[in-house]
Amino acid sequence: MTLSLEIKKLKRTGYFPAFIGAGFIASAFPVINMLARAQTFTALSGDPLTILMDANWQMMAMINILICVCGSCIMYHTEYADNGLQKMDVLPVRSGALFITKFVITALILAIIIVMETAVLAGCVLHWFPGRGLSLWELLKTAGFQWLITLPTVMMMLVIASAWKNMWISLGIGVILVFALSILPQDLLILNLCPFSSPYQTYAMAVQNDRVSLFLILCPVETPGLGLLEMFYQKIRRCVQ
C-alpha cells in the first residue's frame, strides 16, 4: 500500500522522467567522448571497460548524485506542500515506513539508470575496442558495485530533504556537498568512504587499491546507519511539535 501510494504521488511530479532523462544524459557522455577522441582511448593498453570508466565515470557519477539530490527534494517537497506530511499522520501509515519507501523507490530507479549507463559503456567497448574482450561478469560486478556505493548518498540526501520544509534549503545543501566533495582529493580513504564522495570511486580503482571488501562492508553499514538517524530525527520532531 505504501509503495503504490508513493508511486502515485510521484507520477504527478515528473520524478521518474527526470531520473530517466538524467540516465540518458550520463549515458551520452562516454559516447560523445569516444566520438570526439576515439583514437586517444583506443591507443591505450589495458582493459577497455576500465579505460572508459576512468575517462567518464567522474562526470557520470556527478550526474547520478545530482539527480538523487533533486529527486529527494522533489519527494519531500510534495510532502510539505499544503501540509501533506501532517495530513499523512491521520492515516494508518507510519512516517518511518514512508521514508523507507522513498529510499526503496530511489534505490530501484538508480539501479535502472546505472544498468543503462553500464550497457552504454559495454556498447562503446564492443564498437570501439573490437577484439579486446568484454566479460559479462565484470559488467555485472561493475554495475552492482557502483550502485551499492551510491546508496549511502541516497539515504543521506533523503535525511537532509526530510529535515527542511523549504525545498531550496535542502537542494542548496545537497548541491554544495556534491561540488565540495568532488573537488577534494580522491586518494584519501576516509573521504572515499563518505557519502557524496564514494560514488566517484570505480570498481577498477577499488580492485587496484584492494578496497573492494572495505566498500562492500562499510557502505551497507552506512546506509541503514543513516536511516536510523532519520528515525531518531523524526522522534525529536514529534516531541518538539
Side-chain angles (χ1 to χ4, degrees):
M1 175 183 174
T2 306
L3 182 62
S4 61
L5 179 63
E6 287 297 311
I7 292 175
K8 286 180 181 178
K9 289 191 293 185
L10 291 174
K11 282 183 178 179
R12 304 173 182 176
T13 62
Y15 176 89
F16 296 110
F19 262 89
I20 299 302
F24 276 112
I25 293 173
S27 299
F29 189 78
V31 176
I32 295 172
N33 212 359
M34 288 302 296
L35 288 172
R37 301 187 297 163
Q39 293 183 349
T40 302
F41 298 115
T42 55
L44 299 175
S45 61
D47 178 55
L49 181 61
T50 301
I51 293 171
L52 291 178
M53 290 288 290
D54 290 342
N56 301 289
W57 189 253
Q58 296 296 307
M59 180 60 68
M60 297 170 74
M62 180 177 290
I63 295 172
N64 291 343
I65 300 172
L66 283 172
I67 192 57
C68 288
V69 169
C70 295
S72 299
C73 294
I74 290 172
M75 279 182 158
Y76 272 97
H77 175 69
T78 60
E79 298 292 356
Y80 284 118
D82 299 323
N83 296 318
L85 200 60
Q86 287 77 7
K87 294 175 183 176
M88 291 295 293
D89 290 336
V90 303
L91 299 176
V93 178
R94 299 179 60 183
S95 57
L98 288 174
F99 178 82
I100 297 301
T101 303
K102 295 179 190 300
F103 171 75
V104 170
I105 291 173
T106 308
L108 289 176
I109 195 167
L110 177 66
I112 292 172
I113 67 173
I114 287 180
V115 168
M116 182 193 309
E117 293 161 2
T118 307
V120 171
L121 288 169
C124 291
V125 171
L126 294 174
H127 181 75
W128 278 286
F129 296 85
R132 297 278 287 269
L134 180 64
S135 170
L136 178 60
W137 178 235
E138 287 299 316
L139 282 174
L140 293 175
K141 288 194 294 185
T142 298
F145 181 81
Q146 304 307 151
W147 177 73
L148 183 67
I149 63 175
T150 310
L151 293 183
T153 303
V154 172
M155 183 68 83
M156 184 172 178
M157 190 58 222
L158 284 170
V159 173
I160 293 171
S162 70
W164 304 95
K165 292 184 178 181
N166 190 329
M167 181 186 70
W168 298 108
I169 296 177
S170 53
L171 181 63
I173 293 173
V175 171
I176 289 172
L177 287 172
V178 170
F179 290 103
L181 291 176
S182 67
I183 63 175
L184 293 176
Q186 296 297 312
D187 55 346
L188 296 178
L189 178 58
I190 188 65
L191 290 178
N192 292 342
L193 296 172
C194 292
F196 289 90
S197 179
S198 58
Y200 292 107
Q201 302 301 303
T202 65
Y203 179 71
M205 291 169 58
V207 171
Q208 181 180 356
N209 296 320
D210 195 23
R211 294 175 180 175
V212 176
S213 299
L214 185 62
F215 280 106
L216 294 181
I217 293 172
L218 289 184
C219 287
V221 172
E222 286 180 5
T223 304
L226 292 167
L228 290 175
L229 178 63
E230 170 66 15
M231 303 301 128
F232 180 69
Y233 164 72
Q234 288 183 5
K235 289 184 178 180
I236 293 178
R237 184 170 61 186
R238 290 194 195 99
C239 294
V240 171
Q241 290 177 346

